[in-house]
């Protein structure tokens, strides 16, 4: 098998996402209904009608993005005969997308995934008082240089590499003043650009420890099954299938670096040549081309994308 199925993270949300799938396919509609029921909230109405500011809230964006990914996956299974156990070498997801990947591979139910992501989103938002944390994208520096800039900028505060996205794109996270210092240090080290990001909290850094504690408690109450396909975990950049290792990696992920560049490189080095991005947006598809030379990225999030997938030769 030469295909991997990947699932996007926060930032890919947009008002209207998933609506065309729900209108065209009952399997998609069923997923949105299941998520609405699990959360006792009409999240689907917020996704399709907005307002955008409410959809962007971490506690809404995380389960919403998972819902779109699983809706698209269920449609691929029904319409194109997709069987991950047969057709995928690996699954992986960027940050919250790891929950989508695990759910897709049968590690836990859609309802459990929705509830976990609501807890995760709430806990991440509450972990740091508004305005005290920040994130910034450093463009044009490789990971080691960006991580060094973050360490130099910390000066007793928290500042660390949060996302290694590949293609010379590294996101740093931590205390606002430290992140601002990291931007200046990165520019001095040759970064092409250093941009403060419009995020509501400093994700994937030590300041998120209260959220990691909340996830440890929440995940302890969930039945996790061995996924039918190995999951390439953010914090390991390697394939895992043991339920207890999955549980521990999801806790570690809250404060740890999303090693996406290494995750994609791992899959490519193990024979993956096509990366299907299932869900909203095309962020991961764009990153694939910068990480794995010669690999193909294919985004699947609309009825037209489903039709194109059905028409593709797969082997």
């Amino acid at each position: 098998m030469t295909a991997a199925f990947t699932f996007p993270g926060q930032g890919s949300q947009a008002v209207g996402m998933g609506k065309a799938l729900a209108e065209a396919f009952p399997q998609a509609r069923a997923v949105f209904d299941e998520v609405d029921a699990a959360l006792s909230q009409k999240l689907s109405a917020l996704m399709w009608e907005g307002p955008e500011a409410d959809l962007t809230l971490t506690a809404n964006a995380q389960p919403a993005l998972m819902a779109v990914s699983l809706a698209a996956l269920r449609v691929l299974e029904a319409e194109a005969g997709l069987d991950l156990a047969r057709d995928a070498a690996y699954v992986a997801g960027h940050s919250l997308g790891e929950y989508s990947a695990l759910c897709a591979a049968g590690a836990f139910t859609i309802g459990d995934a929705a509830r976990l992501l609501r807890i995760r989103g709430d806990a991440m938002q509450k972990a740091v008082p508004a305005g005290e944390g920040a994130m910034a994208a450093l463009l044009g520096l490789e990971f080691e240089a960006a991580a060094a800039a973050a360490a130099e900028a910390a000066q007793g505060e928290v500042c660390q590499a949060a996302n290694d996205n590949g293609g010379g794109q590294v996101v740093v996270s931590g205390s606002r003043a430290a992140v601002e210092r990291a931007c200046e240090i990165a520019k001095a080290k040759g970064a092409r650009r250093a941009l403060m990001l419009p995020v509501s909290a400093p994700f994937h850094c030590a300041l998120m420890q209260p959220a990691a504690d909340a996830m440890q408690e929440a995940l302890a109450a969930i039945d996790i099954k061995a996924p039918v396909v190995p999951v390439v975990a953010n914090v390991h950049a390697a394939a895992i299938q043991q339920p207890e290792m999955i549980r521990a990696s999801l806790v570690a992920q809250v404060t740890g670096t999303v090693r996406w560049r290494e995750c994609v490189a791992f899959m490519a080095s193990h024979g993956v040549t096509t990366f299907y991005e299932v869900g909203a947006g095309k962020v991961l598809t764009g990153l694939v081309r910068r990480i794995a030379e010669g690999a193909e990225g294919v985004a699947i999030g609309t009825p037209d994308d489903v039709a194109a997938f059905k028409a593709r030769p797969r082997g």
Side-chain angles (χ1 to χ4, degrees), residues 76 80 276 298-300 302-314:
L76 291 175
Y276 294 103
V298 180
I300 307 171
T302 68
D304 285 348
D305 295 338
V306 171
F309 181 86
K310 287 173 68 174
R312 286 176 65 91
R314 298 194 304 281

Side-chain angles (χ1 to χ4, degrees), residues 240-298:
I240 61 175
Q241 277 186 290
Q242 304 90 336
E244 289 314 307
M245 186 176 276
I246 289 168
R247 204 183 308 270
S249 73
L250 290 175
V251 174
Q253 187 219 62
V254 178
T255 56
T257 303
V258 176
R259 298 167 60 188
W260 191 251
R261 172 180 58 88
E262 294 173 272
C263 288
V264 173
F266 171 88
M267 291 183 275
S269 72
H270 286 76
V272 172
T273 55
T274 304
F275 292 81
Y276 294 103
E277 178 179 8
V278 184
K282 301 181 179 182
V283 172
L284 302 183
T285 299
L287 292 176
V288 158
R289 298 175 184 133
R290 290 190 262 168
I291 299 168
E293 189 174 347
E296 181 184 17
V298 180

Side-chain angles (χ1 to χ4, degrees), residues 144-163:
E144 291 74 15
E152 184 181 336
Q155 298 178 19
E157 296 182 299
V158 171
C159 189
Q160 63 193 79
N163 298 348

Side-chain angles (χ1 to χ4, degrees), residues 60-261:
N60 290 326
Q62 295 199 15
L65 284 162
M66 181 279 298
V68 178
S69 287
L70 269 294
L73 186 86
R74 293 287 180 262
V75 171
L76 291 175
E77 290 170 343
E79 292 289 313
L82 174 68
D83 179 344
L84 284 182
R86 180 193 66 211
D87 298 329
Y90 302 100
V91 294
H94 191 286
S95 191
L96 82 90
E98 191 157 295
Y99 286 78
S100 307
L102 286 160
C103 186
F108 36 63
T109 66
I110 287 173
D112 281 345
R115 287 184 286 268
L116 285 169
L117 287 170
R118 171 55 53 81
I119 293 167
R120 185 178 185 266
D122 276 334
M124 292 171 92
Q125 193 63 64
K126 293 172 183 169
V128 181
E132 290 189 13
M135 299 179 78
L138 309 182
L139 307 180
L141 280 189
E142 292 307 316
F143 179 73
E144 291 74 15
E152 184 181 336
Q155 298 178 19
E157 296 182 299
V158 171
C159 189
Q160 63 193 79
N163 298 348
D164 179 10
N165 288 330
Q169 182 192 117
V170 180
V171 175
V172 296
S173 180
S175 307
R176 176 169 291 277
V179 171
E180 289 170 347
R181 287 192 295 269
C183 288
E184 296 310 310
I185 292 168
K187 289 174 187 172
K189 288 180 178 286
R192 193 171 68 252
R193 295 176 74 190
L195 309 170
M196 299 296 286
L197 297 177
V199 295
S200 54
F203 306 130
H204 299 293
C205 76
L207 295 176
M208 287 287 116
Q209 188 58 47
D213 295 341
M215 291 316 297
Q216 183 161 15
E217 182 179 344
L219 284 157
I222 296 294
D223 178 33
I224 299 179
K225 296 180 169 62
V228 298
V229 182
V231 177
V232 180
N234 286 186
V235 295
H236 301 298
I240 61 175
Q241 277 186 290
Q242 304 90 336
E244 289 314 307
M245 186 176 276
I246 289 168
R247 204 183 308 270
S249 73
L250 290 175
V251 174
Q253 187 219 62
V254 178
T255 56
T257 303
V258 176
R259 298 167 60 188
W260 191 251
R261 172 180 58 88

